[in-house]
Amino acid sequence: MHDFPISYIEPVFRPPSEAHSLILPVTNGCSWNQCGFCEMYTQPQKKFRARDEAEVLEEIRRCGERLIVQRVFLADGDALVLPTRRLLNILRAIREHLPEVRRVSSYCLPRNLRRKSVEELKELADAGLGMAYVGAESGDDEVLARVNKGETYASTLDALDKLGQAGIQRSLMILNGLGGQGLSEQHADNSARLMNAAQPEFLSTLVVSFPTGEQRFRAGFPDFQPLDRAQLFAEVERLLQGLELRDTVFRSDHASNYLVLKGVLGADKPRLLAQVREAIERPQQAKLRQEWQRGL
Ligand code: SF4
């Protein structure tokens, strides 16, 4: 749109649940950009930089003149890398110029929060930051090292605890199949352990996939043996069995998943486990997505 108040550098990504949000880039790319399974920000135009603060504030002001929005997603890959002061300026401008906004969210890397205190995060929460999407990917240190995530079980839990204490909702992502056949069980067990310790408000699983090839991934994980469909289900079953969550919305409905699962954990754990068992034992009868239906 020629006169849209925000300028974007494509491609731009957002979580599925932010489909109706105003996407506001406050950074370009991802400050880490080294995960072996991720090619979201590898194109040259997506090289990481913080966007000019005055430009972002002016875009918010111009959005206020033309748009009515209720949700804003701060892009790109890890907006929370910005200093707290700058984030507060952005959140305050949103509040001033877009007063209908009910929730601001962003992706967050655990490393973004190492130098932010709980008090700073509380300030951000008070200024409107309501949700952080954290791609934990796994709770297993060996898997995290193989895929070059740059995080550990401990660093991820530390960030999740800080967010929780600040009152910012946590939406977690775990990548089904990320450890391959060799590390599948420890991937499931330690991911469950991490979720149990963090008790996130939202949890989703995606299936690891390589739409543009495995070269980058295999450089760090040369003996990776992908899971077949039945093995992916077995891994999800093991993860679900290990989860002891009190009140977490669980979703496995991303386009990469063969089996769509939705529920609230712990209440729906028996039903979700029964659905996975059905997919393992009677795949013809279970409602599975076919390969062509998986939009990768
Ligand atoms: S931190 Fe996220 S956006 Fe950055 S490289 Fe890893 S998966 Fe991709």
Side-chain angles (χ1 to χ4, degrees), residues 2-285:
H2 189 60
D3 60 350
F4 194 73
I6 298 176
S7 63
Y8 295 101
I9 299 176
E10 301 288 343
V12 174
F13 298 92
R14 53 143 182 89
S17 52
E18 299 290 335
H20 302 295
S21 304
L22 175 72
I23 309 298
L24 175 67
V26 300
T27 61
N28 180 50
C30 161
S31 67
W32 175 245
N33 209 19
Q34 293 185 44
C35 299
F37 55 87
C38 171
E39 303 207 349
M40 296 205 300
Y41 305 110
T42 50
Q43 295 177 45
Q45 76 275 17
K46 298 305 293 188
K47 188 170 172 356
F48 178 76
R49 68 178 173 83
R51 287 192 66 212
D52 180 76
E53 184 175 1
E55 211 174 286
V56 174
L57 296 178
E58 174 61 12
E59 285 183 347
I60 296 169
R61 192 190 64 73
R62 286 197 281 131
C63 282
E65 290 173 353
R66 300 175 203 195
L67 308 174
I68 294 180
V69 284
Q70 296 194 331
R71 286 185 175 199
V72 175
F73 178 75
L74 305 178
D76 269 336
D78 62 331
L80 294 195
V81 72
L82 292 180
T84 304
R85 182 203 54 78
R86 196 189 282 209
L87 287 165
L88 284 171
N89 288 346
I90 290 166
L91 292 166
R92 285 169 185 152
I94 290 171
R95 206 159 253 181
E96 179 183 347
H97 298 292
L98 295 163
E100 293 83 10
V101 168
R102 294 286 162 264
R103 188 180 84 182
V104 183
S105 57
S106 91
Y107 285 129
C108 170
L109 311 191
R111 62 181 51 244
N112 296 158
L113 306 189
R114 269 175 219 162
R115 293 207 306 265
K116 286 183 173 60
S117 65
V118 173
E119 284 64 39
E120 285 176 273
L121 293 175
K122 276 187 185 153
E123 275 190 84
L124 294 173
D126 289 345
L129 183 68
M131 162 94 85
Y133 295 90
V134 182
E137 331 299 2
S138 178
D140 184 72
D141 284 346
E142 196 175 348
V143 173
L144 291 168
R146 294 286 193 97
V147 304
N148 206 20
K149 183 71 196 177
E151 303 288 350
T152 61
Y153 173 97
S155 70
T156 308
L157 182 57
D158 189 50
L160 296 175
D161 279 348
K162 279 184 176 176
L163 288 166
Q165 285 172 49
I168 297 172
Q169 289 195 314
R170 292 113 357 123
S171 182
L172 269 288
M173 283 151 280
I174 294 290
L175 274 179
N176 186 196
L178 188 62
Q181 293 181 20
L183 304 179
S184 176
E185 293 191 352
Q186 65 194 69
H187 171 46
D189 293 349
N190 286 319
S191 297
R193 195 163 61 89
L194 176 64
M195 295 306 108
N196 295 343
Q199 296 288 323
E201 288 72 25
F202 298 87
L203 168 61
S204 58
T205 60
L206 283 65
V207 173
V208 68
S209 52
F210 309 97
T212 59
E214 295 179 15
Q215 200 183 355
R216 181 172 152 107
F217 186 73
R218 290 221 174 253
F221 201 159
D223 56 346
F224 177 77
Q225 287 188 300
L227 302 188
D228 63 24
R229 200 174 67 175
Q231 290 168 327
L232 287 167
F233 294 155
E235 188 178 277
V236 168
E237 183 178 51
R238 193 173 175 110
L239 172 73
L240 280 169
Q241 281 167 340
L243 288 175
E244 297 296 339
L245 298 173
R246 293 188 286 275
D247 190 14
T248 298
V249 175
F250 177 74
R251 291 273 181 275
S252 158
D253 57 354
H254 181 262
S256 63
N257 294 298
Y258 290 101
L259 174 64
V260 174
L261 299 169
K262 295 180 187 182
V264 178
L265 291 170
D268 295 328
K269 182 169 166 175
R271 174 179 60 77
L272 294 171
L273 276 169
Q275 274 182 263
V276 181
R277 218 10 37 214
E278 163 101 354
I280 293 170
E281 290 176 4
R282 288 179 289 280
Q284 289 81 7
Q285 283 159 33

